[in-house]
Amino acid sequence: MLRIDKIQENLQTKKLGKKVLFLREVGSTNDLAKKMADYRASEGTIVIAEMQTAGRGRFGRAWFSPKGGLYFSVILRPNISPKEAAKLVFVAGLAVAEVLHENYGLKAETKWPNDVLVGGRKVCGILGEMKTKGEKINYAVIGVGVNVNVNVERNFPENLVNVATSIENEFGGKVRLEELFKLLLEKLDSLYEEFLKEGFTQVLKRWKKYASFLGKTVEVTGGTERLCGLALDVDDEGALVIRLEDGMVKRFLVGDVSLKQ
Ligand code: BTN
């Protein structure tokens, strides 16, 4: 069982993790965090579970959440517009990539808009949701799922085996979940502060250092569209900029990207 009290004792954060709700099992930490936010849970409150029975991903996809992974959601209440709050998923993606690289020596990659990969396979997914209040947001919930102490070949469903990986698979052994959770919270806390004080530019610059899909031919799916082109950039709105085969340049604000073989 995760020793949350031990983590909180020496957690070096300004805002995140002062209140942490730990559960052995939950449907989805994002769903519970949203309910708590509706009941006025304060900024920085975290819901973490050992496993999820209805873990959710983007576009209504399921997020496989067996024991051994890290599943948590952070409630944030920044005084910013929905358009700015949409960039928080990049802040979270960067936090994960930097921790995996700096603390575990893994060659982490960020993939637009909010995945973290190692060796081309997904190790972490992020689900950002928000409730708006006029021009501003009431709250944002950032859900982070990391495949940690699980063996993907042995324990994951067949359809995920070639696209997913875990820290155990890449690191070559188990890591301490408490330690990883603490490092992620501290990194996310400092990047969140930086984002609020200085804006998106520096966060994006750091995020791009890990974005190995840039400069490569990719396939983008956005809504009903499926297009192929050269990934040129992620702009300061968080949009993916692609040069299509006919030379036209197109921006995507939502969608998914995969490397074209
Ligand atoms: C994706 O890759 O599409 C996003 C996956 C996000 C999964 C995390 S696990 C913790 C939080 N609770 C959820 O139900 N989803 C997010």
Side-chain angles (χ1 to χ4, degrees):
M1 202 179 86
L2 277 174
R3 293 296 310 270
I4 299 297
D5 50 334
K6 284 271 165 260
I7 299 169
Q8 277 180 304
E9 253 169 38
N10 53 24
L11 189 64
Q12 308 287 323
T13 57
K14 274 202 180 133
K15 290 185 176 150
L16 304 197
K18 308 291 174 205
K19 288 186 189 144
V20 179
L21 173 63
F22 168 73
L23 298 152
R24 294 276 178 95
E25 186 181 307
V26 71
S28 152
T29 56
N30 259 43
D31 289 345
L32 183 55
K34 285 198 293 181
K35 271 194 198 121
M36 290 167 60
D38 283 331
Y39 282 95
R40 302 192 187 169
S42 54
E43 160 138 295
T45 300
I46 289 173
V47 180
I48 176 168
E50 239 166 37
M51 56 187 282
Q52 298 182 116
T53 52
R56 296 187 292 110
R58 295 167 67 233
F59 306 118
R61 296 176 193 137
W63 181 258
F64 184 58
S65 314
K67 215 170 151 182
L70 195 59
Y71 315 106
F72 67 93
S73 301
V74 187
I75 297 171
L76 299 174
R77 296 186 176 280
N79 185 23
I80 57 177
S81 67
K83 202 169 145 193
E84 284 306 296
K87 297 170 186 169
L88 287 167
V89 292
F90 290 89
V91 177
L94 175 61
V96 175
E98 287 196 345
V99 165
L100 294 190
H101 175 68
E102 291 166 5
N103 300 90
Y104 297 90
L106 294 175
K107 218 169 160 293
E109 303 156 39
T110 47
K111 186 175 79 110
W112 183 84
N114 44 11
D115 290 343
V116 182
L117 316 182
V118 177
R121 293 170 186 219
K122 187 154 158 173
V123 70
C124 165
I126 290 156
L127 180 64
E129 299 183 288
M130 62 176 108
K131 185 165 177 180
T132 56
K133 190 169 70 181
E135 298 291 289
K136 291 283 165 75
I137 66 159
N138 182 343
Y139 61 78
V141 165
I142 307 297
V144 181
V146 191
N147 304 327
V148 189
N149 294 326
V150 279
N151 184 299
V152 170
E153 289 84 40
R154 276 209 296 268
N155 305 113
F156 270 45
E158 221 177 285
N159 63 318
L160 296 179
V161 167
N162 291 324
V163 289
T165 190
S166 70
I167 297 188
E168 178 174 327
N169 283 94
E170 301 298 329
F171 190 69
K174 303 212 186 287
V175 301
R176 285 193 55 226
L177 272 180
E178 285 89 349
E179 171 97 354
L180 174 63
F181 180 52
K182 179 177 182 288
L183 290 166
L184 286 177
L185 285 192
E186 288 173 351
K187 181 65 93 175
L188 187 53
D189 185 83
S190 69
L191 284 172
Y192 177 54
E193 283 299 299
E194 188 179 323
F195 169 70
L196 291 183
K197 277 205 190 104
E198 285 151 46
F200 190 43
T201 312
Q202 283 309 313
V203 167
L204 183 62
K205 200 170 159 193
R206 275 158 76 175
W207 186 92
K208 282 187 200 172
K209 280 193 199 158
Y210 292 91
S212 51
F213 68 95
L214 287 175
K216 299 211 173 112
T217 303
V218 295
E219 187 174 272
V220 194
T221 42
T224 51
E225 275 183 314
R226 180 184 289 261
L227 292 168
C228 233
L230 184 70
L232 295 178
D233 195 14
V234 172
D235 69 17
D236 54 13
E237 304 239 290
L240 175 66
V241 187
I242 298 283
R243 187 184 309 120
L244 303 175
E245 278 151 353
D246 63 6
M248 213 173 93
V249 173
K250 200 171 156 66
R251 287 172 82 238
F252 290 83
L253 265 165
V254 277
D256 255 335
V257 69
S258 57
L259 279 188
K260 191 88 182 123
Q261 304 302 330

